[in-house]
Amino acid sequence: LLRRPAKRLGLSVPTVTAEPAQSKPPSTPQAAAKPPKPEQVQTETQPARFGRLADCALKGERIVCPDRQFKLALNQPNRALAPGVLEDQNRLGLRPFQGGRSDEQQVRAYLSNAYDRYIPKMLAIGLGANTMSFTAFHNAFHTLEDGGVDFAERMERTYQLLKKDKLNLAVQARYHDRLPEKLALCEAINFEIIVCDNVATNWVFVSRSR
């Protein structure tokens, strides 16, 4: 489902069946790593907040932390979605990048914030199993911007097409049975969502309270 609107807009989506060695990482590995955030300085009573997973355990389709559990997000049928999420007024809402493309720290900060909005927005329309990895997100930004295309605008158009396709096309709950091999591949983007990826495959885990 993700590939249809992406292809129409010229946005490349990584193959979920590819092995990590076949994927093409950014030219500088540090570019794909999300930068630390001020929120990462948390108390010890919140180990799963904003990237702190040291006290958590990866158990197949669950991530178990002292204060809560996270379950692998699957694609959801439209009847399970909140009212109005597939309507035109629900927008991805990424702000345009206005910094210097040569300032990698500025680019990473922008993409980190954009990605932290993108993941919940994909969950909202029931496409938790169709998300891009942060590396793919990063690569799409540079590919589009290098071609003179506004990344935020193109992602918005893709999101709108995904919603239209979701209204008319059935989706599989998941497309493979692979799971992340280790917790080191994971990062909490907020208190309710953990994202794991091995570059080729992306997994989203959500807390039961979500």
Side-chain angles (χ1 to χ4, degrees), residues 122-144:
M122 289 293 283
L123 289 170
I125 61 173
L127 292 178
N130 282 84
T131 60
M132 300 168 65
S133 69
F134 185 74
T135 298
F137 200 75
H138 176 277
N139 288 345
F141 169 82
H142 282 291
T143 298
L144 291 171

Side-chain angles (χ1 to χ4, degrees), residues 4-11 144 154 156-159 161:
R4 291 168 56 89
K7 184 177 181 181
R8 277 181 261 167
L9 295 175
L11 182 62
L144 291 171
R154 179 60 60 86
E156 186 64 59
R157 290 173 60 192
T158 301
Y159 191 68
L161 287 173

Side-chain angles (χ1 to χ4, degrees), residues 1-2 4-5 8 78 160-171:
L1 182 63
L2 183 61
R4 291 168 56 89
R8 277 181 261 167
N78 294 345
Q160 298 304 319
L161 287 173
L162 280 172
K163 291 191 301 176
K164 290 179 180 179
D165 281 354
K166 188 71 165 49
L167 280 170
N168 301 305
L169 300 173
V171 295

Side-chain angles (χ1 to χ4, degrees), residues 15-167:
T15 303
V16 296
T17 56
E19 295 300 324
Q22 294 175 313
S23 61
K24 184 178 180 182
S27 55
T28 55
Q30 295 85 353
K34 297 183 67 176
K37 303 178 188 179
E39 296 95 333
Q40 284 180 321
V41 181
Q42 299 290 327
T43 66
E44 292 302 318
T45 61
Q46 296 176 323
R49 185 186 290 268
F50 302 110
R52 298 195 64 189
L53 302 175
D55 295 329
C56 302
L58 179 61
K59 297 185 177 182
E61 297 184 3
R62 295 181 302 142
I63 295 177
V64 180
C65 301
D67 54 351
R68 61 178 52 199
Q69 294 189 26
F70 298 78
K71 186 177 179 180
L72 181 67
L74 306 179
N75 290 336
Q76 300 295 320
N78 294 345
R79 64 179 180 275
L81 306 181
V85 293
L86 297 179
E87 301 298 329
D88 291 342
Q89 62 267 24
N90 178 30
R91 302 181 62 80
L92 181 58
L94 302 184
R95 63 177 179 82
F97 178 70
Q98 298 179 337
R101 287 281 309 285
S102 59
D103 188 337
E104 187 56 40
Q105 183 175 1
Q106 195 171 43
V107 169
R108 284 181 297 172
Y110 166 78
L111 290 176
S112 178
N113 289 331
Y115 192 73
D116 289 358
R117 180 173 179 82
Y118 160 78
I119 292 294
K121 281 291 188 176
M122 289 293 283
L123 289 170
I125 61 173
L127 292 178
N130 282 84
T131 60
M132 300 168 65
S133 69
F134 185 74
T135 298
F137 200 75
H138 176 277
N139 288 345
F141 169 82
H142 282 291
T143 298
L144 291 171
E145 294 283 341
D146 285 347
V149 179
D150 184 270
F151 172 74
E153 181 180 345
R154 179 60 60 86
M155 290 296 294
E156 186 64 59
R157 290 173 60 192
T158 301
Y159 191 68
Q160 298 304 319
L161 287 173
L162 280 172
K163 291 191 301 176
K164 290 179 180 179
D165 281 354
K166 188 71 165 49
L167 280 170

Side-chain angles (χ1 to χ4, degrees), residues 53 63 65 70 186-189 192-196 203-205:
L53 302 175
I63 295 177
C65 301
F70 298 78
C186 307
E187 178 183 355
I189 66 170
E192 296 186 327
I193 302 173
I194 293 174
V195 178
C196 308
W203 298 270
V204 179
F205 292 79

